[in-house]
Amino acid sequence: KQWYQRRVRGPAGAGKTVVLCGKLIQLLQSDVDSRVVLFRFVGKGNNSLTYQEALDTANVQYGKIVTNFSKHTPSELSTLISESVYRVVIVEISSYLDITEFVDILSLVKGYN
């Protein structure tokens, strides 16, 4: 399992989402076996539509899971992600996420970058 992590900083409107979309598409095109999970937190400034439009333009199919932690436990969520047939899964989280819960989910997800 490989994790791609890079901190991109800047003010609103600086293009951080566009850079991430480009890197995401580049990863998917460079390795046909790559799979990506993208976590988004619902709220003001949520750029999920930007990611979805970029994936649509690149003809990349994706699945979307909308959740909160009263709906799915970390284990259930990791199973949904791991068993997805899509190369890209966008997980939209609509509740507060403790960092420990987030790490638990990441440690359980299999087969995704």
Side-chain angles (χ1 to χ4, degrees):
K1 183 191 296 189
Q2 284 185 322
W3 295 97
Y4 175 79
Q5 181 180 351
R6 181 176 175 203
R7 184 174 294 258
V8 179
R9 299 178 195 189
K16 298 177 297 290
T17 300
V18 173
V19 169
L20 183 57
C21 284
K23 292 291 185 185
L24 180 93
I25 301 289
Q26 185 179 37
L27 171 67
L28 293 166
Q29 291 175 340
S30 67
D31 181 0
V32 296
D33 293 325
S34 65
R35 299 176 76 186
V36 175
V37 61
L38 176 66
F39 290 90
R40 295 291 310 141
F41 297 92
V42 175
K44 188 176 182 180
N46 182 338
N47 293 320
S48 289
L49 288 178
T50 304
Y51 296 110
Q52 292 170 39
E53 289 169 359
L55 293 169
D56 288 340
T57 300
N59 293 316
V60 175
Q61 293 185 337
Y62 58 89
K64 187 171 163 185
I65 300 170
V66 178
T67 190
N68 61 47
F69 288 101
S70 62
K71 185 174 181 180
H72 298 106
T73 65
S75 179
E76 291 169 335
L77 187 55
S78 68
T79 298
L80 287 172
I81 295 166
S82 296
E83 293 179 352
S84 174
V85 299
Y86 296 100
R87 290 182 64 201
V88 177
V89 175
I90 299 172
V91 180
E92 288 195 351
I93 300 171
S94 62
S95 64
Y96 171 77
L97 178 64
D98 181 89
I99 190 67
T100 304
E101 292 172 313
F102 190 65
V103 170
D104 287 346
I105 293 168
L106 292 177
S107 69
L108 296 170
V109 173
K110 301 195 181 345
Y112 280 83
N113 291 318

